Amino acid sequence: DIQMTQSPSSLSASVGDRVTITCRASQSISSYLNWYQQKPGKAPKLLIYAASSLQSGVPSRFSGSGSGTDFTLTISSLQFEDFATYYCQQSYSTPETFGQGTKLEIK
Amino acid sequence: QVQLVQSGAEVKKPGSSVKVSCKASGGTFSSYAISWVRQAPGQGLEWMGRIIPILGMPNYAQKFQGRVTITADKSTSTAYMELSSLRSEDTAVYYCARDYDSSGIIAFDIWGQGTMVTVSS
């Protein structure tokens, strides 16, 4: 199975900050990388697919980049509603695997 | 818009089975795959398997092979996930999600609300 490792595991930031979350795959996955946001008690929400494509309806302050083994999710200017847990997920091979999550908290 | 609505919470005894349903509305059910993903309390996300209703052929994560059965009923636009030989470690929220295919890259774009399954004696 492909292992996905996110860093950091948790992050404190303020409204208006620029935030970057990193995801590393244990082998090359080309651009088969997606990002999700999850709030407590809710289902995950797709933010970015294919490493850098913004899902319809997702604010443009979210962006993704990378290919191969190293990927980043960037939030250009944090809004209050962005405080949540973020997961990366590879769809290069089954089983599709997720990172362990990055919890973004208010500073 | 496509919506996925799951069945309600379940409490099961160790060794028993649970069957969770996922009903789709507002779209063409058979033309896209449905995946099942679970999340243990306070933990991350774990993909269990998927089915393409029009083909009826499931694909399972090896971890769950022999214990999970995913089916789909095209007539009612409903997918099912049955997990057997339940143990306490199976206590989790179980989600169904639609596979979105972007030039061969699959992402889960629409999710059900989740079904809490508690395994306890």
Side-chain angles (χ1 to χ4, degrees):
Chain A
D1 297 1
I2 298 175
Q3 186 169 358
M4 307 300 293
T5 304
Q6 290 181 231
S7 60
S9 295
S10 63
L11 175 60
S12 294
S14 302
V15 173
D17 284 353
R18 180 183 179 89
V19 166
T20 297
I21 298 169
T22 296
C23 178
R24 175 164 288 177
S26 60
Q27 67 180 74
S28 177
I29 58 170
S30 185
S31 296
Y32 288 70
L33 191 283
N34 309 308
W35 289 98
Y36 300 85
Q37 176 194 67
Q38 187 179 34
K39 295 182 178 179
K42 299 294 186 183
K45 173 187 175 183
L46 178 64
L47 300 176
I48 301 286
Y49 63 93
S52 59
S53 295
L54 192 67
Q55 173 68 350
S56 176
V58 174
S60 59
R61 62 181 179 272
F62 291 92
S63 63
S65 65
S67 66
T69 60
D70 294 310
F71 302 86
T72 58
L73 172 69
T74 299
I75 309 172
S76 60
S77 178
L78 269 177
Q79 301 301 302
F80 183 76
E81 60 268 27
D82 300 336
F83 292 96
T85 300
Y86 293 83
Y87 294 94
C88 62
Q89 174 242 334
Q90 65 82 18
S91 60
Y92 182 81
S93 66
T94 56
E96 278 94 322
T97 45
F98 294 83
Q100 81 280 14
T102 295
K103 187 173 184 179
L104 180 53
E105 298 174 306
I106 301 173
K107 185 183 287 185
Chain B
Q1 311 291 4
V2 174
Q3 282 189 302
L4 300 177
V5 179
Q6 299 182 223
S7 49
E10 303 262 13
V11 180
K12 294 293 183 180
K13 300 283 189 191
S16 67
S17 299
V18 67
K19 190 170 187 177
V20 180
S21 68
C22 171
K23 184 173 177 60
S25 62
T28 308
F29 176 70
S30 297
S31 63
Y32 47 79
I34 295 288
S35 282
W36 288 89
V37 176
R38 76 177 186 179
Q39 185 172 38
Q43 302 301 308
L45 300 161
E46 185 174 32
W47 181 81
M48 301 178 69
R50 64 165 47 86
I51 191 165
I52 303 174
I54 199 169
L55 298 178
M57 289 179 60
N59 173 221
Y60 304 129
Q62 186 149 12
K63 173 178 178 176
F64 299 100
Q65 283 275 3
R67 279 212 305 145
V68 69
T69 303
I70 296 175
T71 56
D73 182 341
K74 297 190 293 291
S75 69
T76 60
S77 298
T78 303
Y80 299 90
M81 186 284 300
E82 183 171 21
L83 189 62
S84 62
S85 302
L86 290 169
R87 35 208 188 229
S88 59
E89 309 90 88
D90 294 317
T91 293
V93 176
Y94 289 77
Y95 294 101
C96 62
R98 186 181 80 163
D99 284 13
Y100 168 67
D101 188 333
S102 171
S103 302
I105 298 178
I106 302 295
F108 307 132
D109 69 332
I110 296 171
W111 294 66
Q113 82 277 18
T115 297
M116 181 71 212
V117 175
T118 303
V119 183
S120 174
S121 54

